Amino acid sequence: MKVFINKRIPEIGIQMLEEAGLEVVLPKNADLSHDEWLTYCKDSDVILNVGQNKYDEGFFEQFPNVKAIALFSVGFDSVDIEQANQRKIPIGNTPDVLSRATSDIAFLLMQSVARRASYYFEQVKSDLWGDFDPLHALGQELYGKTLGIFGLGRIGFEMAEKCKKAFDMNIIYHNRSHNEEAEKKLGAKYVSFDELVNQSDVLSVHANFTEEHSEIFDESVFKKMKSNSIFINTARGGFHNQKHLYNALVDKEIWGAGLDVTNPEPMMYDDPILKLSNVCVLPHIGSATIEARNGMAKVAAENIIAFSKGEKMPHCANPEVYQ
């Protein structure tokens, strides 16, 4: 069985695949063109995908040889799950192993924005330290504030737990269903989407992205948020309309924003949102720790090895494919 990996992953994953007797195809060029990527897909039984390559109806029709896909990510919005199900193609993903690392980034962004850390770092680098000004670019404290979580799954729970322990924040959330563990351990309160938007001092996005969520955080939503509120997105850039977010920040409809994902992604270096003192933007590094990336490589390999043995993938985004 031939496994195509489009970018190098931590060695532990490659070693596991090879020790399982699988043929690993890893191009020397890490930046494949789209046509080059398609050529490798044509000759592969399984794809271990790194990045946001699209697996839609057209792909599956063009490459009936592909029997399984293992994603090097938790999110699986790049795959048309319905089409995969029709063809009995399991889609593996890597939950759990990066929950802590990603929630760390959300927590970091929240504090960086609250205290305008990015702005002040740029001031120091630009030799603009200046004299003491008691009223210049003040931040805000987070103690006792209300954290709103949109999508209280594993990562959202980690974020909520950090905020509860560090700042004794009140936790509210909006989800497809109730999270009884969060309600019991953190005193989290389930609220409607409108209540989440209206009541949050910090609103952090952690949901799985679907088309129904496309730019759900737009002009109409930002207008409903508190003027002191901070918007955090470490999930997918598609959740927010970036132009509307910029306008909301400039018009002081919300207080600040921290982004590890952008819309579009990657964003342009001269995007005006980067000039704002109440914004911190990172280049999608939620899982960028040695521990998390090693864990992702291991889980992705486990998914492929199980498939090669005719077993169910232990971490499958479309478990219904086995029914």
Side-chain angles (χ1 to χ4, degrees), residues 127-180:
D127 194 25
L128 296 173
W129 192 303
D131 294 330
F132 174 69
D133 183 344
L135 299 178
H136 178 66
L138 300 181
Q140 59 171 299
E141 296 183 8
L142 298 166
Y143 299 98
K145 298 285 181 69
T146 296
L147 170 71
I149 300 284
F150 182 70
L152 188 54
R154 300 177 184 90
I155 299 173
F157 184 92
E158 289 276 354
M159 172 63 169
E161 188 173 41
K162 287 178 174 67
C163 292
K164 186 71 174 180
K165 291 180 176 179
F167 298 111
D168 194 24
M169 297 179 78
N170 302 307
I171 312 299
I172 61 175
Y173 72 99
H174 181 71
N175 226 24
R176 292 182 183 273
S177 58
H178 285 259
N179 188 319
E180 295 181 1

Side-chain angles (χ1 to χ4, degrees), residues 36 50 67 70 73 91 97 110 122 155 159 165 178 182 184 187 219 227 260 315 317 320 322:
E36 289 172 330
V50 183
K67 304 173 183 67
S73 66
I91 308 297
V97 291
M110 176 183 71
E122 289 299 323
I155 299 173
M159 172 63 169
K165 291 180 176 179
H178 285 259
K184 181 179 180 179
E219 180 181 24
S227 59
D260 188 41
H315 300 281
E320 63 275 11
Y322 293 113

Side-chain angles (χ1 to χ4, degrees), residues 38-311:
L38 292 176
T39 298
Y40 281 101
C41 292
K42 184 179 180 180
D43 297 327
S44 303
D45 301 297
V46 179
I47 298 173
L48 199 169
N49 183 80
V50 183
Q52 285 292 302
N53 295 307
K54 295 293 183 182
Y55 297 93
D56 54 15
E57 181 178 6
F59 176 89
F60 291 123
E61 287 182 351
Q62 187 176 356
F63 301 106
N65 53 289
V66 175
K67 304 173 183 67
I69 297 172
L71 302 174
F72 196 76
S73 66
V74 176
F76 47 89
D77 50 289
S78 60
V79 180
D80 188 325
I81 294 295
E82 182 178 348
Q83 292 296 323
N85 287 343
Q86 289 180 15
R87 294 164 173 80
K88 301 297 182 182
I89 298 174
I91 308 297
N93 66 339
T94 62
D96 298 330
V97 291
L98 54 84
S99 298
R100 183 173 295 176
T102 303
S103 67
D104 284 347
I105 288 296
F107 192 70
L108 170 67
L109 285 168
M110 176 183 71
Q111 293 180 84
S112 296
V113 173
R115 296 301 300 269
R116 300 184 188 262
S118 293
Y119 166 74
Y120 279 114
F121 183 41
E122 289 299 323
Q123 293 292 97
V124 173
K125 290 198 298 181
S126 302
D127 194 25
L128 296 173
W129 192 303
D131 294 330
F132 174 69
D133 183 344
L135 299 178
H136 178 66
L138 300 181
Q140 59 171 299
E141 296 183 8
L142 298 166
Y143 299 98
K145 298 285 181 69
T146 296
L147 170 71
I149 300 284
F150 182 70
L152 188 54
R154 300 177 184 90
I155 299 173
F157 184 92
E158 289 276 354
M159 172 63 169
E161 188 173 41
K162 287 178 174 67
C163 292
K164 186 71 174 180
K165 291 180 176 179
F167 298 111
D168 194 24
M169 297 179 78
N170 302 307
I171 312 299
I172 61 175
Y173 72 99
H174 181 71
N175 226 24
R176 292 182 183 273
S177 58
H178 285 259
N179 188 319
E180 295 181 1
E181 182 184 11
E183 292 177 1
K184 181 179 180 179
K185 291 185 176 181
L186 306 176
K189 179 183 177 183
Y190 179 89
V191 296
S192 68
F193 181 71
D194 282 343
E195 289 174 318
L196 184 83
V197 170
N198 291 331
Q199 297 176 19
S200 297
D201 296 304
V202 177
L203 200 164
S204 193
V205 181
H206 299 285
N208 286 323
F209 183 77
T210 62
E211 284 303 316
E212 67 180 286
H213 293 137
S214 182
E215 299 190 356
I216 187 172
F217 292 94
D218 62 5
E219 180 181 24
S220 64
V221 170
F222 292 130
K223 286 183 180 296
K224 296 176 183 177
M225 292 175 66
K226 291 183 176 182
S227 59
N228 73 300
S229 65
I230 297 171
F231 176 74
I232 304 293
N233 188 1
T234 57
R236 284 288 186 268
F239 277 107
H240 69 264
N241 182 302
Q242 198 143 311
K243 290 183 179 179
H244 292 181
L245 175 59
Y246 171 78
N247 291 336
L249 291 162
V250 171
D251 295 341
K252 302 187 185 312
E253 291 170 348
I254 66 173
W255 196 84
L259 308 175
D260 188 41
V261 290
T262 59
N263 188 10
E265 186 176 311
M267 65 189 291
M268 296 298 293
Y269 73 95
D270 58 352
D271 191 306
I273 202 170
L274 296 173
K275 293 182 170 60
L276 301 181
S277 67
N278 51 349
V279 171
C280 181
V281 180
L282 299 175
H284 205 155
I285 60 168
S287 65
T289 68
I290 295 170
E291 294 84 355
R293 294 283 168 85
N294 281 342
M296 292 169 70
K298 182 179 178 181
V299 170
E302 289 172 346
N303 281 333
I304 294 172
I305 292 169
F307 173 79
S308 72
K309 295 178 178 179
E311 301 171 357

